[in-house]
C-alpha cells in the first residue's frame, strides 16, 4: 500500500480542530439553554407561589368569613339547643314521677308482698320466712320466685335511681337486703334438700334401689342422687334424658352419701357492682360560673326566664351530667363569646391532663340522661391480677348461672311404723361429706385411693357462648373465682356439654370474656318512623338489632343458629337498664364498662365531645340515619367523624347517599371526602358552612318532612336513644 500524502494529513488535523470548536459552541449553547430553563422554572415557581398564596388568601378570607358567620349565630344556636335538650331533664322528671307512682300503686294493691325499699317490710318478710321450717322443695321454689323478684327490684333501684337521689345509708340498706335475701334463699334450698333426702328411701328407683330426681323451674334445676344401696356397681350416674351426671370413685360409691348438682340461672356469689356516688362540685366550677355572669354585657344579657328554668332544672341536669365539664357547659349557652372561650380553654386544660378519658357505663347506662360519670378518668388503669388462676371480673364474667356441686351425708331415713312416720332428728341441718379426707403425708400419689370425681354438665340453650368457655370454681377463702383444680376438661360446643374432673367439689361456673364483641366492626342507627328507631351493631361473631320505641327497647334480631332458645329476650319490650342486664346474662355484652379501655383497642375520644354527639344524634333520630365511618379512627381524640343521611321512606340508605360529618363539641362541618377517598382530609364540602352544633349542621340538609318528624319526636324517645348510644359508645368502640 502506498504511503499517505502530506496534504491528506493536514486536512485531517483541520477537521479535528473544527470539531473541538463545535463542541465548545455546543456546550455554550447548552449552558445558555439550561440557564434559560432555570429562569423560566424560577418565574413559573414564583407565579405558582403567587397564585397559591392568592388562593390561600382567598381560602383564608373565606374561612374567616365562615368562622365569623358561625360566631355571629353561635349564641342563637346554643340557646335553641339548650331548649331542645330540656327533653333530658324532662325525661328524668317523668321517671322520678313513675318511681313515686309505682310505690303508691304497690301500697294501694296491698297484695301481701313487701316493698323491698322499705327496711321494716323487707326485714319482716325475711324474719317470717326464716321461722318457717321443714318446707318441701316445691314450696321453696314457689317462694324463691318472689325472693328473686325482690332482689331484682333492689338491683334496679340501685342502677336506675340517679346517684344524687340515693343517700349512702339507702345504698348500704339495699345492698344489705340483697345479701340477706341471697343467703336466706340458699339456706332454704339446703333445708328443702335435707327434707327431700330424709324421704329418699320411699323415692328409690326400682332398678338400682337408689334415688335419682330432677326438679326444675325457670330459675333453678335440682339434680339429686341418694346412695341408698351403696353398690359399687353404680358409680356412673346420668340424670334421666339429660346429659348431666357424674362418675364417682369406689370410695364414694360405697359410702352413705348423696350427690347434688344444683344449677341456678342466677349468680349470687360474685360481688355486687359498685354504685357510683356523687361528688361535691369543685371550687373551679363555681368560679367559672361567677365569672361568666360578670362578663355578660347588658345588651346581650341572658333572658331571665331561661336562667330561672336552668336553676329549676339544675338538680335534674346534674343527676346525669356529673362532671364539672358538663356543668359548666350548661350555663354557657346563654352567655357571650368570651364566656364560651373561657369554658373551651378550661375543657382543653382538662384534656391535657390525660390521653384517655373513658366514660363509666355503670353510670352512663343507668343515669337519667346516661351521660358522663363523676370522673372522666379512673383513678388508675385496672391492675393486673397477680395470680393468673384468679378470674379478673373486670375482663371476664360468669355466664349461664352457677352449678353447685355437693357431696352430702345421707340423713337418717323416715320409717313407717303403722300409721306413724318416725325419723331421727339431727341438729345442724344438711351436712357435707368431706371428700377427700385428710391424707397422711407419707402416702404417695399412686397409693391414694381417693380418685377425682368426673362431672358432666349441660349448658342451657338460653345463653350463648361464642368461644370455648373457661371453667372456674368458687374460692370461699379468697372470695373469688379460680380456674385451677380441674382435670381433663372437655367441651362439645355442638352438643353444649362440658365435662371435667375435680378432686373435691365446689360451686362451678363458666366464664366468658366481657369484651368478646368489642371493638365493633360497624354500627348504624336507623329511623323506623316517628319515635321509633333501630340500632344495628355488627361484631366479629354476630349481628345485633336493638329496636327503640318511645321509652322502651327490645332485642329485635340477632344472627344465631336454631339451637338457641331466646324467647325470654327476643321481641320483649323493656327498659334500657333491664335490656342491658338481660343481654349481658345471655352473652350479648356490647356495653363497655369503665375499665373496658384497658382490655380493648379503642378509638380514644374526648368523652365530652362523644356525649354531645350522642345527645344531638338522638334529637335527629326520627328523621336521620347515622353510621360508622373508617375516618373516625384517623380524626384524633378531640373529633368524631360519622356518616349521616336523611331516611324517611326507604328501609336503608344507599352507599352513595351518605355524607360525612365531623364534630369537635364546639363546631360541626360537612366533609368533602367520602368513605372511598384515598386519604383523610378535613376540607369542607363545597358550598357548606360551619355550625356550632351538630344539630344545626345537619338541619341545613334536612327536608321539611324530616324536620317535622324531628320536631314532633317524643322526649322519652330522644332520651332512650341517647342512653342506648351512651351505653354502647359506638363512636369509641368501633
Amino acid at each position: 500500500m502506498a504511503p499517505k500524502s502530506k496534504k491528506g494529513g493536514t486536512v485531517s488535523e483541520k477537521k479535528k480542530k473544527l470539531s473541538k470548536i463545535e463542541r465548545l459552541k455546543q456546550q455554550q449553547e447548552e449552558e445558555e439553554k439550561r440557564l434559560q430553563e432555570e429562569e423560566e422554572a424560577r418565574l413559573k415557581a414564583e407565579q405558582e407561589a403567587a397564585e397559591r398564596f392568592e388562593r390561600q388568601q382567598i381560602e383564608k378570607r373565606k374561612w374567616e368569613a365562615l368562622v365569623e358567620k358561625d360566631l355571629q349565630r353561635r349564641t342563637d344556636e346554643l340557646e335553641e339547643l339548650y331548649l331542645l335538650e330540656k327533653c333530658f331533664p324532662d325525661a328524668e322528671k317523668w321517671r322520678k314521677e313513675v318511681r313515686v307512682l309505682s310505690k303508691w300503686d304497690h301500697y294501694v294493691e296491698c297484695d301481701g308482698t313487701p316493698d323491698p325499699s322499705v327496711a321494716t317490710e323487707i326485714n319482716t318478710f325475711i324474719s317470717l320466712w326464716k321461722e318457717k321450717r321443714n318446707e318441701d322443695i316445691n314450696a321453696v321454689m314457689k317462694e324463691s320466685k318472689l325472693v328473686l323478684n325482690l332482689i331484682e327490684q333492689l338491683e334496679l333501684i340501685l342502677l336506675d335511681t340517679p346517684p344524687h337521689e340515693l343517700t349512702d345509708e339507702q345504698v348500704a340498706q339495699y345492698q344489705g337486703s340483697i345479701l340477706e335475701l341471697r343467703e336466706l334463699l340458699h339456706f332454704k334450698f339446703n333445708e328443702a334438700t335435707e327434707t327431700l333426702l330424709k324421704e329418699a328411701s320411699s323415692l328409690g328407683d326400682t332398678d338400682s334401689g337408689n334415688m335419682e330426681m330432677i326438679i326444675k323451674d325457670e330459675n333453678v334445676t335440682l339434680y339429686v342422687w341418694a346412695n341408698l344401696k351403696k353398690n359399687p356397681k353404680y358409680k356412673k350416674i346420668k340424670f334421666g334424658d339429660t346429659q348431666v351426671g357424674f362418675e364417682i370413685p369406689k370410695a364414694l360409691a360405697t359410702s352413705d352419701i348423696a350427690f347434688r348438682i344444683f344449677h341456678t340461672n342466677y349468680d349470687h356469689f360474685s360481688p355486687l357492682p359498685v354504685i357510683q356516688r356523687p361528688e361535691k362540685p369543685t371550687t373551679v366550677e363555681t368560679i367559672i360560673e361567677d365569672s361568666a355572669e360578670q362578663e355578660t354585657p347588658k345588651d346581650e344579657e341572658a333572658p331571665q326566664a331561661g336562667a330561672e328554668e336552668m336553676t329549676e332544672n339544675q338538680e335534674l341536669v346534674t343527676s346525669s351530667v356529673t362532671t364539672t365539664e358538663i356543668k359548666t357547659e350548661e350555663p354557657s349557652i346563654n352567655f357571650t363569646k368570651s364566656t364560651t372561650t373561657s369554658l373551651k380553654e378550661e375543657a382543653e386544660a382538662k384534656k391535657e391532663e390525660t390521653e384517655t378519658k373513658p366514660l363509666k357505663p355503670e353510670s352512663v347506662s343507668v343515669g337519667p340522661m346516661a351521660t358522663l360519670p363523676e370522673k372522666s378518668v379512673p383513678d388508675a388503669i385496672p391492675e393486673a391480677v397477680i395470680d393468673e388462676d384468679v378470674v379478673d371480673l373486670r375482663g371476664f364474667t360468669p355466664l349461664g348461672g352457677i352449678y353447685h356441686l355437693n357431696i352430702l351425708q345421707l340423713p337418717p331415713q323416715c320409717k313407717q311404723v303403722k300409721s306413724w312416720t318416725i325419723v331421727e332428728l339431727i341438729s345442724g341441718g344438711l351436712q357435707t361429706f368431706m371428700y377427700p379426707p385428710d391424707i397422711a403425708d407419707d402416702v404417695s400419689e399412686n397409693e391414694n385411693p381417693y380418685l377425682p370425681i368426673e362431672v358432666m354438665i349441660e349448658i342451657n340453650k338460653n345463653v350463648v357462648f361464642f368461644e370455648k368457655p373457661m371453667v372456674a370454681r368458687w374460692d370461699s377463702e379468697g372470695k373469688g373465682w379460680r380456674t385451677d383444680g380441674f382435670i381433663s376438661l372437655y367441651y362439645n360446643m355442638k352438643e353444649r356439654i362440658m365435662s371435667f374432673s375435680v378432686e373435691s367439689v365446689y360451686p362451678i361456673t363458666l366464664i366468658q370474656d366481657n369484651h368478646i364483641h368489642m371493638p365493633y366492626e360497624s354500627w348504624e342507627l336507623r329511623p323506623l318512623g316517628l319515635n321509633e328507631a333501630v340500632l344495628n351493631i355488627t361484631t366479629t361473631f354476630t349481628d345485633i338489632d336493638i329496636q327503640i320505641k318511645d321509652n322502651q327497647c327490645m332485642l329485635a334480631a340477632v344472627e344465631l343458629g336454631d339451637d338457641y332458645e331466646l324467647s325470654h329476650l327476643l321481641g320483649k319490650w323493656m327498659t334500657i337498664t333491664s335490656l342491658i342486664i338481660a343481654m349481658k346474662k345471655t352473652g350479648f355484652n356490647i356495653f363497655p364498662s369503665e375499665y373496658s379501655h384497658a382490655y380493648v383497642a379503642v378509638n380514644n375520644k374526648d368523652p365530652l365531645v362523644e356525649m354531645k354527639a350522642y345527645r344531638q344524634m338522638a334529637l335527629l333520630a326520627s328523621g336521620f340515619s347515622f353510621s360508622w365511618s373508617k375516618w373516625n379512627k384517623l380524626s384524633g381524640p378531640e373529633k368524631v367523624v360519622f356518616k349521616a343521611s336523611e331516611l324517611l321512606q326507604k328501609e336503608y340508605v344507599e352507599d352513595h347517599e351518605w355524607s360525612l360529618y365531623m364534630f369537635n363539641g364546639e363546631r360541626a362541618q360537612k366533609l368533602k371526602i367520602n368513605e372511598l377517598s384515598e386519604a383523610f382530609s378535613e376540607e369542607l364540602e363545597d358550598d357548606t358552612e360551619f355550625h356550632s352544633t351538630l344539630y344545626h349542621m345537619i338541619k341545613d340538609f334536612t327536608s321539611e318532612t324530616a324536620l317535622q318528624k324531628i320536631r314532633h319526636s317524643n322526649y322519652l324517645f330522644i332520651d332512650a336513644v341517647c342512653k342506648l348510644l351512651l351505653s354502647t359508645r359506638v363512636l369509641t368502640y368501633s
Side-chain angles (χ1 to χ4, degrees):
M1 183 179 291
K4 295 180 180 180
S5 63
K6 293 182 181 179
K7 186 178 179 180
T10 306
V11 171
S12 176
E13 290 175 2
K14 186 176 181 181
K15 288 182 179 179
K16 287 182 182 179
K17 290 180 181 179
L18 290 174
S19 64
K20 288 181 180 179
I21 294 171
E22 288 175 354
R23 280 199 301 272
L24 289 173
K25 185 178 180 181
Q26 184 178 2
Q27 290 176 359
Q28 185 177 0
E29 289 175 353
E30 289 177 353
E31 179 66 17
E32 291 176 354
K33 185 178 180 181
R34 184 182 65 80
L35 292 174
Q36 184 179 358
E37 288 176 351
E38 288 181 355
E39 181 65 16
E40 290 176 354
R42 184 183 66 79
L43 293 174
K44 184 178 180 181
E46 289 179 355
Q47 183 179 0
E48 289 177 352
E51 291 174 354
R52 186 167 56 252
F53 178 76
E54 183 64 24
R55 286 196 304 270
Q56 290 175 350
Q57 291 298 310
I58 294 172
E59 289 295 327
K60 183 179 179 182
R61 287 193 293 269
K62 182 179 176 181
W63 183 276
E64 290 174 349
L66 291 174
V67 171
E68 182 63 27
K69 188 174 181 180
D70 176 39
L71 291 174
Q72 287 175 358
R73 63 189 174 199
R74 179 175 178 80
T75 303
D76 293 336
E77 289 184 350
L78 292 178
E79 285 178 356
E80 183 180 357
L81 181 65
Y82 170 68
L83 295 175
L84 291 170
E85 290 188 341
K86 285 184 66 179
C87 64
F88 298 116
D90 287 346
E92 173 52 28
K93 184 179 180 181
W94 176 84
R95 276 192 295 271
K96 186 175 182 179
E97 291 172 353
V98 169
R99 288 192 293 271
V100 174
L101 185 61
S102 64
K103 289 177 71 69
W104 174 250
D105 289 342
H106 180 273
Y107 176 78
V108 172
E109 286 177 5
C110 196
D111 57 0
T113 60
D115 183 345
S117 64
V118 180
T120 53
E121 291 189 28
I122 196 67
N123 290 338
T124 300
F125 171 80
I126 291 172
S127 299
L128 290 176
W129 200 29
K130 276 183 180 179
E131 292 174 0
K132 290 184 180 180
R133 295 292 181 181
N134 301 321
E135 289 183 288
D136 61 25
I137 188 66
N138 292 320
V140 173
M141 280 189 167
K142 182 179 179 181
E143 193 74 5
S144 70
K145 295 176 183 178
L146 173 59
V147 174
L148 291 172
N149 182 259
L150 294 174
I151 292 174
E152 182 181 351
Q153 288 183 49
L154 287 169
E155 290 174 342
L156 285 174
I157 289 173
L158 289 171
L159 292 174
D160 254 345
T161 308
H164 74 274
E165 291 186 17
L166 289 174
T167 64
D168 293 338
E169 292 75 14
Q170 285 176 316
V171 172
Q173 173 198 321
Y174 298 156
Q175 290 182 331
S177 297
I178 291 172
L179 294 175
E180 281 193 68
L181 288 169
R182 283 182 175 185
E183 184 180 351
L184 178 58
L185 184 60
H186 190 67
F187 170 78
K188 282 294 182 178
F189 274 117
N190 283 344
E191 194 177 57
T193 302
E194 181 185 12
T195 302
L196 180 65
L197 289 175
K198 287 178 180 179
E199 302 173 357
S201 57
S202 62
L203 302 171
D205 181 66
T206 54
D207 295 333
S208 65
N210 298 323
M211 185 195 80
E212 293 179 23
M213 187 168 288
I214 304 174
I215 306 172
K216 66 182 299 184
D217 67 3
E218 63 269 25
N219 298 312
V220 300
T221 305
L222 181 65
Y223 305 89
V224 184
W225 177 80
N227 190 18
L228 298 172
K229 298 301 181 180
K230 296 183 282 295
N231 187 342
K233 183 175 70 171
Y234 298 105
K235 298 190 298 180
K236 188 170 184 177
I237 306 299
K238 184 180 175 184
F239 289 95
D241 297 332
T242 70
Q243 299 296 326
V244 178
F246 58 89
E247 184 174 356
I248 54 176
K250 184 177 179 180
L252 285 176
T254 56
S255 300
D256 212 17
I257 64 160
F259 198 99
R260 180 179 75 167
I261 302 177
F262 180 40
H263 178 215
T264 62
N265 291 336
Y266 49 82
D267 173 16
H268 285 176
F269 280 93
S270 299
L272 296 173
V274 177
I275 305 300
Q276 301 294 334
R277 306 302 301 134
E279 292 182 351
K280 294 181 179 179
T282 60
T283 308
V284 176
E285 175 191 346
T286 307
I287 294 172
I288 292 174
E289 293 181 359
D290 291 344
S291 63
E293 292 175 0
Q294 292 173 3
E295 292 176 6
T296 305
K298 294 182 179 180
D299 57 342
E300 296 184 13
E301 192 171 9
Q304 292 297 322
E308 290 173 3
E309 289 174 355
M310 188 188 306
T311 305
E312 291 173 1
N313 290 319
Q314 188 65 29
E315 181 181 355
L316 295 176
V317 173
T318 53
S319 65
S320 58
V321 188
T322 50
T323 60
T324 56
E325 290 175 319
I326 305 302
K327 289 178 182 176
T328 55
E329 175 64 19
E330 293 288 355
S332 72
I333 292 173
N334 291 327
F335 295 140
T336 59
K337 288 184 286 185
S338 59
T339 306
T340 305
T341 305
S342 63
L343 293 175
K344 185 175 179 181
E345 291 173 354
E346 175 69 18
E348 290 175 351
K350 292 184 179 182
K351 291 175 189 175
E352 294 174 357
E353 294 176 2
T354 180
E355 295 181 358
T356 305
K357 292 187 173 184
L359 296 172
K360 294 183 180 179
E362 281 75 5
S363 58
V364 162
S365 61
V366 298
M369 286 190 292
T371 54
L372 289 174
E374 298 159 26
K375 295 181 180 179
S376 296
V377 187
D379 295 334
I381 296 296
E383 298 178 1
V385 178
I386 298 175
D387 191 338
E388 62 180 10
D389 293 325
V390 175
V391 176
D392 180 6
L393 292 179
R394 291 168 296 196
F396 299 88
T397 187
L399 189 61
I402 310 298
Y403 298 84
H404 303 254
L405 308 182
N406 305 105
I407 303 174
L408 307 169
Q409 291 183 8
L410 195 61
Q413 297 299 293
C414 297
K415 296 180 180 179
Q416 197 72 28
V417 180
K418 295 183 180 181
S419 61
W420 294 86
T421 300
I422 302 174
V423 62
E424 180 183 353
L425 298 178
I426 299 178
S427 61
L430 194 64
Q431 301 294 317
T432 59
F433 183 89
M434 182 63 68
Y435 184 87
D438 295 333
I439 303 173
D441 296 336
D442 57 348
V443 176
S444 64
E445 291 185 4
N446 295 330
E447 298 175 352
N448 184 7
Y450 303 104
L451 300 177
I453 303 165
E454 184 179 354
V455 180
M456 291 79 71
I457 60 176
E458 196 173 40
I459 303 172
N460 285 354
K461 292 185 177 181
N462 59 0
V463 293
V464 184
F465 287 93
F466 293 92
E467 289 181 342
K468 179 181 177 181
M470 295 188 297
V471 186
R473 62 180 180 86
W474 180 252
D475 179 11
S476 56
E477 294 182 359
K479 300 298 181 183
W481 296 103
R482 298 183 61 90
T483 56
D484 57 349
F486 296 96
I487 308 168
S488 305
L489 279 168
Y490 170 76
Y491 175 59
N492 186 326
M493 179 175 282
K494 185 178 180 181
E495 299 294 330
R496 301 179 65 80
I497 299 170
M498 175 75 75
S499 67
F500 50 85
S501 297
V502 288
E503 295 181 349
S504 188
V505 290
Y506 327 86
I508 302 295
T509 192
L510 304 180
I511 301 294
Q512 180 169 274
D513 186 352
N514 273 335
H515 308 98
I516 193 169
H517 296 296
M518 303 176 204
Y520 321 129
E521 292 188 350
S522 65
W523 63 272
E524 182 177 350
L525 177 66
R526 199 167 58 249
L528 299 178
L530 183 62
N531 299 325
E532 194 170 357
V534 62
L535 176 64
N536 170 267
I537 293 180
T538 301
T539 72
T540 305
F541 296 97
T542 188
D543 200 67
I544 298 172
D545 283 350
I546 300 175
Q547 191 170 338
I548 312 138
K549 187 174 182 180
D550 297 329
N551 67 319
Q552 297 283 299
C553 293
M554 76 170 178
L555 180 63
V558 59
E559 286 190 0
L560 289 173
D562 299 328
D563 298 331
Y564 298 95
E565 297 174 359
L566 304 177
S567 58
H568 68 290
L569 181 59
L570 271 174
K572 302 293 184 182
W573 290 105
M574 57 187 80
T575 65
I576 290 182
T577 305
S578 298
L579 179 69
I580 291 172
I581 294 171
M583 288 183 64
K584 284 182 176 181
K585 287 182 178 179
T586 307
F588 304 124
N589 188 357
I590 53 172
F591 309 100
S593 70
E594 63 179 299
Y595 298 113
S596 293
H597 65 284
Y599 298 88
V600 183
V602 299
N603 301 325
N604 292 326
K605 298 295 178 181
D606 186 333
L608 180 60
V609 175
E610 193 180 356
M611 184 276 300
K612 286 183 177 181
Y614 293 146
R615 292 176 73 171
Q616 294 176 50
M617 287 163 65
L619 291 171
L620 298 157
S622 283
F624 265 77
S625 183
F626 298 90
S627 184
W628 165 90
S629 170
K630 68 179 182 181
W631 302 120
N632 185 46
K633 186 175 182 180
L634 301 177
S635 62
E638 297 178 2
K639 303 181 184 73
V640 294
V641 176
F642 50 85
K643 295 184 293 186
S645 176
E646 184 178 300
L647 185 63
L648 296 178
Q649 303 297 331
K650 296 185 297 183
E651 189 175 353
Y652 295 97
V653 178
E654 300 292 338
D655 290 341
H656 68 275
E657 296 176 329
W658 289 111
S659 297
L660 280 175
Y661 292 87
M662 185 173 71
F663 182 54
N664 66 357
E666 301 292 333
R667 178 182 295 163
Q669 63 189 74
K670 187 176 182 181
L671 299 179
K672 192 172 185 178
I673 60 171
N674 56 39
E675 285 296 295
L676 301 179
S677 300
E678 295 182 357
F680 177 69
S681 170
E682 296 185 7
E683 186 179 354
L684 274 170
E685 176 68 289
D686 295 336
D687 301 322
T688 62
E689 301 175 347
F690 294 128
H691 281 278
S692 298
T693 72
L694 180 62
Y695 174 85
H696 291 89
M697 183 72 247
I698 295 179
K699 187 179 172 183
D700 281 356
F701 308 96
T702 307
S703 67
E704 186 60 31
T705 305
L707 199 57
Q708 288 301 318
K709 290 184 69 175
I710 290 168
R711 287 171 177 168
H712 288 88
S713 296
N714 185 275
Y715 67 101
L716 296 177
F717 167 75
I718 296 171
D719 180 71
V721 173
C722 182
K723 288 179 68 176
L724 185 58
L725 290 173
L726 277 160
S727 299
T728 52
R729 297 194 62 195
V730 291
L731 291 173
T732 293
Y733 285 85
S734 62

